[in-house]
Amino acid sequence: MAAVRAGAASDVGRVRRRNEDSALVADGVFAVADGMGGHAAGDIASEIAVEALRRLADRAGRTPQDVHDEIARANNDILASAAEHPVRTGMGTTLTGISLVLDDGVERWAVFNVGDSRVYRFAGGVLTQLTIDHTAPESVTRRRGVITRALGTRPAPDADLWVMSPVPGERFVVCSDGLSLELTDDEIADVLRSEPAAQAAADLLVRRAVLAGGRDNVTAVVVDHLTTTGVDTGSFTRGAHAAPEDEDTDPGIVDHRGIDTDPLGIPAGP
């Protein structure tokens, strides 16, 4: 498996009362989910989504199809939870991230996304947004758009999934839109350029987003593809503005978006 080191941080921000973001840093699987629904339990929806992906971390030889299937299962799990607990009706979440997978026996990154959370890649000093925001076209000129795809819907959303070759030295940022709402691409790149440690970079990204306005929950996972061997899945921290732990349903879940497409809609790597 490619050698990686990751760190994650999250903050409730300066406006919201609850942190509805969840993040996952596991064995080769890194994700962020941004819950929606407020009183309809958006925080629970995001937790269910990352728990579905946590199952991938225990699966040896996982493939792009496995990632695709777990995203679909997460949607079903959210709907089932809402059916069992009517107070959760209408809850939903974005889900985005990266996972190491085997594609025709070759190790690659699977980049996946539903909603407007994002995955960025930083390599050669250049920051590139890998995912596409699922927002209504008429809202593209706004800083925030109306989300057109989310987990917790029927029919199930069509998740984007790209497959790409790993390159030692690259960095990824997986984040909720609370980060991209407050920081420009240049500001994100400046942090990644100045902070070589994954955890320190995640902490600084979240802190700067909160200082810039913190109008939403902010969560960032930074993943470094090392040039040395060994895996360190890193840690998770909450910022100074985080909601009290008793407001989170289960903070332990937060331990911690040139391709050919096959009939499943899963792009194949080069």
Side-chain angles (χ1 to χ4, degrees), residues 17-267:
R17 181 174 178 271
R18 297 179 65 86
N19 192 340
E20 294 189 321
D21 288 356
S22 295
L24 177 66
V25 173
D27 190 5
V29 185
F30 311 93
V32 166
D34 181 356
M36 298 170 290
H39 293 298
D43 53 336
I44 295 174
S46 69
E47 290 168 0
I48 291 172
V50 298
E51 275 301 290
L53 290 184
R54 189 187 298 278
R55 294 190 286 257
L56 285 171
D58 299 325
R59 190 172 307 166
R62 59 182 172 264
T63 66
Q65 182 65 60
D66 292 330
V67 177
H68 179 275
D69 292 347
E70 285 299 341
I71 294 172
R73 189 169 292 117
N75 189 71
N76 292 337
D77 289 349
I78 291 169
L79 290 172
S81 178
E84 183 178 357
H85 306 279
V87 70
R88 300 176 185 176
T89 300
M91 69 177 177
T93 185
T94 69
L95 181 63
T96 195
I98 59 175
S99 174
L100 287 167
V101 297
L102 288 179
D103 182 41
D104 290 332
V106 178
E107 187 171 69
R108 301 191 191 278
W109 286 113
V111 182
F112 53 89
N113 183 57
V114 177
D116 64 349
S117 296
R118 294 179 176 179
V119 175
Y120 294 93
R121 180 176 182 265
F122 185 70
V126 177
L127 185 73
T128 304
Q129 182 181 335
L130 298 182
T131 52
I132 299 170
D133 296 343
H134 297 146
T135 53
E138 63 269 19
S139 62
V140 293
T141 58
R142 306 176 192 168
R143 294 207 67 191
R144 304 194 72 169
V146 177
I147 296 175
T148 57
R149 296 189 214 174
L151 296 182
T153 60
R154 188 178 286 111
D158 184 16
D160 290 342
L161 199 154
W162 298 265
V163 179
M164 56 187 289
S165 298
V167 179
E170 65 193 346
R171 309 188 86 176
F172 296 92
V173 176
V174 184
C175 65
S176 61
D177 70 335
L179 182 74
S180 56
L181 173 68
E182 305 295 354
L183 300 182
T184 66
D185 287 3
D186 286 344
E187 289 170 330
I188 294 172
D190 285 345
V191 170
L192 298 176
R193 196 175 290 115
S194 64
E195 280 291 353
Q199 185 61 56
D203 289 338
L204 185 55
L205 284 169
V206 170
R207 185 161 63 249
R208 287 194 175 179
V210 172
L211 292 175
R215 287 168 284 176
D216 200 352
N217 308 146
V218 186
T219 300
V221 176
V222 175
V223 182
D224 290 339
H225 183 176
L226 307 178
T227 55
T228 56
T229 59
V231 176
D232 179 357
T233 55
S235 60
F236 175 82
T237 61
R238 291 181 177 270
H241 295 280
E245 292 294 353
D246 60 6
E247 288 193 5
D248 289 293
T249 304
D250 185 354
I253 286 180
V254 197
D255 66 354
H256 292 53
R257 244 166 129 172
I259 304 167
D260 296 323
T261 305
D262 70 7
L264 287 170
I266 300 176

